[in-house]
Amino acid sequence: MIKDKLKEKETVAYLSLKNDLNSGHIAHSYLLYGELNPFKTEVAFLLAQSIVEGKNDFACETCTTCQRIRDGKYFDVIYVDGHKETIKKEQIDHIVEEFNKTSLEAQEKKIYIIDNINNSTDKVLNMILKFMEEPGNSNTYGIFISDNIDTLLETVVSRCKKIPFVSKDFSYLIEEYEKLGYSAIDSYLLSQIKHELINDDELLDNFGLAKEFVYKTIDNLSDPEYLPILFNREFYNTAGKDNFKECSGLYLDIMALLISDSNLSKVTADEEYNAYLRTLDKYDKNHLYEVILNAKDKCNLPISRSLLFDQIAYEIIS
């Protein structure tokens, strides 16, 4: 149960939310914040379930309504994922339009969850702010998730009840991925780069492909003629045009983690992974890490991923 894990690992957040639910004094806007914390998204859905269930306590998490909310099949709960791409004006317009309609659910409570709200332009944040101030009815609730509230508009932050998350322990995520059948090393990598449980077949397929090409890159770091071919022929063609954006993002996340683990002389139970960490010791890891981090910074810019990987190959071999 998410509520049990919340009680164990995030006492302040647990007590704050429990007090609101028990008293019935539920804020209309919550901001769940904390750097790289895996619980925020799960707790956002738990809070939505609890508001809808309306029993002055945390939700049961097991009934049909709770399951529909968590699975994205409850009509009056809208989830916007700001991790995959920048939050768009059209997504906020959709929330406003849908929440101005008559409720489709018997409970008549409408909740919107905006994950990684930081990945918004000031224009979109101002749209969100306007909707927070004029939601259309008193049964509308907003739940926002942020790794860093310092970069948010103060006017948005000030209108929310702030719920801090302080733990950076991803061990439970490793266990959850292993329960889904993933290897120990894949469970470790996924927990470190996603910080939440992902059960999306397409994304996980892309993760596997990205990891494969990270390993191929390390195998061929000493072959400057082959690296451009590896990136823009083999990687691009294997991923395909539609998946290359997501694959390339995962590639950069995994590569950055391997370099970091190599710098820390990390040892895992997976000998293949350890071998790649040792292989990186033969190269200028500081230079390689800088190349990868610079590429990650450019991922949110309107730049061709193919051209970006051309530049990565050039910088690695220069």
Side-chain angles (χ1 to χ4, degrees):
M1 292 285 189
I2 296 300
K3 56 177 172 268
D4 296 329
K5 293 175 180 176
L6 179 66
K7 182 178 181 179
E8 177 188 353
K9 296 182 178 294
E10 296 289 346
T11 304
V12 173
Y14 174 83
L15 291 175
S16 182
L17 291 174
K18 186 173 178 60
N19 181 65
D20 284 9
L21 293 168
N22 290 164
S23 67
H25 296 149
I26 299 172
H28 282 280
S29 299
Y30 283 90
L31 177 58
L32 314 185
Y33 71 95
E35 183 184 3
L36 300 181
N37 188 283
F39 288 108
K40 297 196 296 292
T41 302
E42 287 89 344
V43 173
F45 278 97
L46 172 63
L47 179 56
Q49 292 166 339
S50 303
I51 292 171
V52 169
E53 207 168 63
K55 295 183 178 178
N56 288 11
D57 204 347
F58 284 111
C60 68
E61 301 185 56
T62 59
C63 68
T64 300
T65 297
C66 284
Q67 291 175 3
R68 288 177 59 214
I69 291 172
R70 191 61 189 90
D71 293 340
K73 297 178 180 178
Y74 189 84
F75 295 113
D76 288 341
V77 174
I78 296 177
Y79 173 71
V80 176
D81 188 353
H83 289 287
K84 292 185 176 180
E85 59 182 356
T86 304
I87 297 167
K88 303 290 193 301
K89 170 183 179 295
E90 291 75 17
Q91 292 172 299
I92 308 306
D93 285 337
H94 173 69
I95 293 173
V96 174
E97 180 182 355
E98 290 300 312
F99 282 14
N100 279 327
K101 296 177 182 177
T102 302
S103 176
L104 294 174
E105 303 285 355
Q107 290 84 352
E108 297 185 347
K109 295 174 182 176
K110 297 173 178 287
I111 303 168
Y112 59 103
I113 301 170
I114 300 182
D115 206 340
N116 195 24
I117 188 176
N118 300 67
N119 195 15
S120 307
T121 64
D122 284 349
K123 180 178 181 180
V124 167
L125 285 172
N126 279 309
M127 290 177 63
I128 294 170
L129 178 62
K130 186 175 188 299
F131 186 61
M132 291 169 66
E133 295 172 339
E134 303 172 12
N137 67 72
S138 60
N139 281 331
T140 297
Y141 302 87
I143 304 173
F144 310 109
I145 304 168
S146 170
D147 285 344
N148 182 8
I149 63 173
D150 293 337
T151 61
L152 286 177
L153 288 179
E154 176 56 32
T155 45
V156 172
V157 175
S158 65
R159 284 166 172 76
C160 296
K161 175 155 187 179
K162 296 181 283 296
I163 307 294
F165 287 70
V166 297
S167 170
K168 296 181 184 179
D169 177 13
F170 303 119
S171 59
Y172 97 96
L173 277 178
I174 296 175
E175 294 173 4
E176 294 297 325
Y177 276 116
E178 289 179 342
K179 288 177 185 177
L180 291 175
Y182 292 93
S183 68
I185 195 61
D186 284 352
S187 298
Y188 163 72
L189 291 171
L190 284 163
S191 71
Q192 295 299 306
I193 66 176
K194 283 299 181 184
H195 314 304
E196 60 179 318
L197 186 64
I198 304 292
N199 196 9
D200 181 308
D201 289 341
E202 183 176 334
L203 185 147
L204 293 168
D205 286 344
N206 287 335
F207 161 80
L209 183 62
K211 176 188 166 191
E212 174 188 340
F213 275 89
V214 165
Y215 284 1
K216 283 188 176 181
T217 300
I218 297 173
D219 281 334
N220 292 280
L221 281 173
S222 60
D223 189 345
E225 294 184 0
Y226 178 59
L227 277 181
I229 297 173
L230 174 68
F231 286 154
N232 277 333
R233 289 190 193 172
E234 295 184 18
F235 190 19
Y236 182 84
N237 290 337
T238 305
K241 181 180 179 181
D242 293 338
N243 288 328
F244 188 64
K245 181 177 181 180
E246 184 170 70
C247 274
S248 60
L250 290 165
Y251 171 96
L252 294 172
D253 288 337
I254 297 168
M255 179 63 88
L257 180 59
L258 260 81
I259 300 169
S260 177
D261 282 351
S262 180
N263 276 330
L264 294 171
S265 300
K266 189 177 184 69
V267 177
T268 72
D270 188 272
E271 185 49 42
E272 182 183 30
Y273 187 79
N274 294 338
Y276 281 108
L277 298 184
R278 291 193 295 269
T279 299
L280 285 169
D281 288 333
K282 303 174 185 177
Y283 300 95
D284 184 348
K285 289 184 286 188
N286 290 334
H287 170 66
L288 187 58
Y289 197 51
E290 183 179 357
V291 170
I292 297 300
L293 290 185
N294 285 340
K296 282 170 63 69
D297 288 341
K298 293 176 181 176
C299 279
N300 290 324
L301 300 175
I303 182 174
S304 162
R305 289 295 175 98
S306 178
L307 291 176
L308 178 60
F309 271 69
D310 271 341
Q311 184 176 356
I312 292 172
Y314 172 77
E315 291 182 358
I316 287 176
I317 64 182
S318 63

